Amino acid sequence: MGRAERSRLRREAHRVLLRNWTGTSTVPSHGLYPHQWSWDSAFIAIGLRHLSPVRAQRELETLLGGQWGDGRIPHIVFDSRVPPGAYFPGPDFWRSSSAGAASGAGAPCGVETSGIVQPPVHALAAWLVHTADPDASRRRGFLARVRPRLAAWHRYLAAERDLGGGGLAAVVHPWEPGMDNSPCWDGPLARVEPAAADSFRRADLAHGAAAERPTDLDYGRYVALAAGYRDHGYRDADAPHPFAVEDPSFNALLIVSEHAMAAVVRELGGDPGPHRERAAALTDALVRRLWSPASGQFLCRDLRGGGEPGVGSGAGRGGLPGALVDARSAAGLLPLIAPDLPGDITAALLRTVTGEHFGLGHGVRLLPSYDLHGPAFDSYRYWRGPAWFNVNWLLERGLRRCGETERADALRADALGAAGASRFAEYLDPYTGEGRGARDFSWTAALALDLLKGPDPGRDAGPVPGPPDSGPDSEPVSEPDPGPHSGHECEREVQRPAFTSMTPECTSEPPEPPEPPEQQAGSSGASRAPATPEPEPEEGP
């Protein structure tokens, strides 16, 4: 990709992010996904840091404004100005401010959210955003404000979601690991009685072809699971969780985010040791519970499978609860991003990435989401085969971390080429490269911006002083980065104080159990954001 083509791609990515910005956060897609999504915003912030570090900070602060008192970061923060029927399931279905508040889970009443979560990419995103402009970050007290929120989020996963008792976080809905209709969920979902077809109306099919979306049967089961969780007040200790799975990518991202938290705490003058210890314990649990030597990759563990007939769960291989799911997905390769994996496991993962099942660099240019030879492979349908940009961004980091520079460079070039050719598609046919799903998709544009900046080895390993990334292809933003009241044509809304603040108007700071003194160092009473953002000027890269 030449300099002119890179410049064009950068300008187009800027255009997407400016257009999808609402004044306080970024929608993944105005039509299909008109609210704020959790892991989308984390990936978007990683790209936004190259356009405006302050705007990237605001992206994460807005998301954290919807955090619950128990620490969970909900997978959707709803925009009250979006028409009720534009997305399903919407606020009227989740009822967070009633079901989630009355149960003691601490759902905010100043904003409506969903009740489930998404992968914990947020601490990694916060650290990378800080490194983009450490001076601006320090002036705004960004890390000091978000650190308590991120720590509460990680404690929620450790305390409430270790459903298997082995040290890993479990997901309780297929939407939580982000790979919504992965074939990995077919077995666990088969036990779930779907909601009646006439009890809900899908809004997604108005924006995407049915052949590219989850089936009606899948959706009926998604609705039934979410309704059951809601009806138990979103209390993990009380809900039966008929779907409970330990997912390798979810936990690998938690490992990486614990390492990022160590960097955050060190930057704030504290002791990073406890976070590194938690990362090491998670890595050990990941290998012990989810590694499959026969498959050469990590597999999901169905905590409700592997038991005797009529029993909800039982002892599987090695006496561990549940059973490994015999399905290969990209989730089982993403632990390559985690530091300190045993060398033999890293080597096996690298062989699997390029082997017959995923074919990276041979049969396909981008990693598919599911085994190319798997019985459920479908090159069109959502997470059952297509290639996704966030997955490939994570894999590129993993390859680079392992010293696979040539492969990482090739994947980076192919991802950038695909982003431009597909008009920043949501996902791609892994064989043809044809775009699927939404176009002008925010995380595709954001992660393309990050890949255009080139590799940043070590950036997530510790505090990095100095100015934002620069390089031979750096150039000013083609139009100024507007503030929330600029009148920019992409901002057709009023400011939302409850979203902008990290302390929504009807709830208090999420309660935090006492931490060791070293964990509190550096926070200096700055854990609470002001009610409105500081009048910090937006800055270009």
Side-chain angles (χ1 to χ4, degrees), residues 97-439:
S97 60
S98 54
S103 68
C109 55
V111 60
E112 294 293 333
T113 76
S114 67
I116 59 174
V117 302
Q118 277 189 325
V121 200
H122 312 88
L124 173 63
W127 177 249
L128 292 177
V129 166
H130 168 77
T131 65
D133 190 341
D135 290 340
S137 175
R138 291 169 188 139
R139 282 197 310 272
R140 298 185 77 244
F142 171 64
L143 290 182
R145 291 203 307 274
V146 301
R147 184 206 63 81
R149 294 277 177 155
L150 296 171
W153 167 221
H154 287 195
R155 280 196 300 275
Y156 166 77
L157 293 174
E160 303 297 333
R161 288 301 189 88
D162 185 7
L163 303 180
L168 293 181
V171 295
V172 300
H173 193 286
W175 290 339
E176 291 200 321
M179 302 184 183
D180 301 14
N181 66 329
S182 167
C184 295
W185 317 140
D186 290 355
L189 275 178
R191 297 188 296 269
V192 177
E193 183 69 24
D198 60 359
S199 65
F200 62 93
R201 183 188 67 81
R202 296 177 61 175
D204 60 317
L205 297 182
H207 303 282
E212 299 179 6
R213 304 289 301 165
T215 65
D216 286 342
L217 178 59
D218 285 336
Y219 237 86
R221 287 170 168 153
Y222 303 155
V223 171
L225 282 171
Y229 194 27
R230 176 199 65 205
D231 294 344
H232 282 82
Y234 301 109
R235 294 185 300 270
D236 289 293
D238 297 338
H241 295 314
F243 179 98
V245 175
E246 293 174 346
D247 176 77
S249 62
F250 191 100
N251 283 280
L253 287 167
L254 183 55
I255 291 168
V256 171
S257 280
E258 282 290 357
H259 282 288
M261 283 295 290
V264 168
V265 169
R266 185 173 62 178
E267 164 71 16
L268 294 174
D271 178 8
H275 288 289
R276 289 176 179 161
E277 290 169 8
R278 283 196 281 274
L282 282 163
T283 302
D284 177 71
L286 182 71
V287 171
R288 177 167 38 87
R289 297 175 68 81
L290 303 185
W291 175 247
S292 170
S295 299
Q297 67 173 89
F298 292 89
L299 299 178
C300 298
R301 180 171 291 278
D302 177 6
L303 294 175
R304 300 295 183 253
E308 298 174 358
V311 179
S313 63
R317 178 177 63 83
L320 297 175
L324 291 179
V325 176
D326 185 19
R328 297 172 177 268
S329 81
L333 305 175
L334 292 186
L336 278 170
I337 63 175
D340 305 322
L341 278 183
D344 59 329
I345 289 180
T346 296
L349 286 170
L350 292 171
R351 288 193 296 270
T352 303
V353 165
T354 57
E356 62 173 332
H357 294 285
F358 292 93
L360 185 67
H362 305 292
V364 295
R365 306 307 302 175
L366 298 181
L367 188 78
S369 52
Y370 175 66
D371 182 356
L372 295 169
H373 300 291
F377 176 81
D378 185 334
S379 64
Y380 282 72
R381 197 179 292 276
Y382 220 42
W383 288 96
R384 301 181 78 84
W388 288 74
F389 286 93
N390 63 330
V391 168
N392 280 272
W393 181 86
L394 289 166
L395 180 63
E396 191 267 355
R397 291 183 73 84
L399 292 173
R400 207 168 292 284
R401 184 195 67 77
C402 298
E404 294 288 324
T405 305
E406 185 175 345
R407 286 179 180 170
D409 288 345
L411 180 56
R412 175 171 165 258
D414 287 334
L416 287 171
S422 68
R423 217 184 80 213
F424 303 105
E426 185 181 0
Y427 51 96
L428 301 171
D429 183 305
Y431 285 116
T432 68
E434 183 180 353
R436 305 287 185 202
R439 301 301 191 274

Side-chain angles (χ1 to χ4, degrees), residues 22 24-25 27 34-37 62 76-87 90-92 96-97 109-113 492-499 505:
T22 69
T24 51
S25 64
V27 297
H35 301 283
Q36 184 179 24
W37 263 257
T62 299
I76 303 175
V77 176
F78 290 107
D79 184 341
S80 62
R81 296 156 301 164
V82 174
Y87 179 81
D92 291 344
S96 65
S97 60
C109 55
V111 60
E112 294 293 333
T113 76
R492 306 180 183 91
E493 76 294 311
V494 295
Q495 190 77 348
R496 293 173 288 170
F499 280 28
E505 53 197 38

Side-chain angles (χ1 to χ4, degrees), residues 423-478:
R423 217 184 80 213
F424 303 105
E426 185 181 0
Y427 51 96
L428 301 171
D429 183 305
Y431 285 116
T432 68
E434 183 180 353
R436 305 287 185 202
R439 301 301 191 274
D440 290 342
F441 199 69
S442 289
W443 80 23
T444 304
L447 296 178
L449 277 181
D450 194 63
L451 292 173
L452 280 167
K453 281 292 184 179
D456 56 347
R459 275 294 174 109
D460 53 349
V464 180
D469 293 338
S470 60
D473 293 318
S474 295
E475 61 181 38
V477 179
S478 56

